[in-house]
Amino acid sequence: MLDKAFLRKALLEKRGNIPSLLRRVKSRRILRKLSREPVFRGAEHVAFYYGIAPEVETNPFLKKLLKDKKLYLPRIGSKKSLALCRVSAIPQDLKNGVYNIMEPKTVCKKRSPAKMDIIIVPGVAFDRNGGRLGRGGGYYDRLLRKAKAV
């Protein structure tokens, strides 16, 4: 099995070489496909992430979600934890946070991961069994464990 750090570095480099126009096109395709999934369509409380380059560009999609979903974005808290906070307006409810990622302001209302209908997370890679390789901080791994606690 490949070392996770080596694999992460190689995949991030490969993803970073995707031209921005192609990334935008692929992002739209990914998010369009997601929006057609029955589990997503039926979800009321949706946790998502604010994509940063070279991740899937989520910002335009997030704005559309606000029309018919209750949207929650992560905010980094103490002890390397993520809190899911309700967002009603983009960019008004956001501020520049840790790692230069936009996150909800502290006044936004929190909701437990266990009470989300669906949680969409970023990843460097995913396997066919749903295994996820992230950036190495473990933030989303800890968040997803809380969602499964119920």
Side-chain angles (χ1 to χ4, degrees), residues 75-83 99 137-139 142-143 145-146:
R75 184 177 66 229
I76 294 180
S78 61
K79 299 179 185 174
K80 290 190 165 189
S81 66
L82 290 179
Y99 305 115
Y139 289 93
R142 286 186 287 282
L143 177 81
R145 277 196 293 276
K146 290 179 186 175

Side-chain angles (χ1 to χ4, degrees), residues 19 23 37 48 53 56-57 59 72 75 80 82 88-89 102 105 107 111 127 129 134:
R23 183 169 25 93
E37 288 295 321
F48 225 97
V56 171
E57 293 181 7
N59 189 12
Y72 301 81
R75 184 177 66 229
K80 290 190 165 189
L82 290 179
S88 300
M102 297 301 286
K105 295 176 181 175
V107 296
R111 186 173 178 92
D127 66 23
N129 298 318

Side-chain angles (χ1 to χ4, degrees), residues 9-10 16 19 25 45 51 61 75 77 92-93 95 98 101 123 145 149:
K9 182 179 178 192
V25 169
H45 297 275
F61 187 72
R75 184 177 66 229
Q92 296 86 338
D93 288 351
K95 66 176 182 65
V98 180
I101 300 171
R145 277 196 293 276

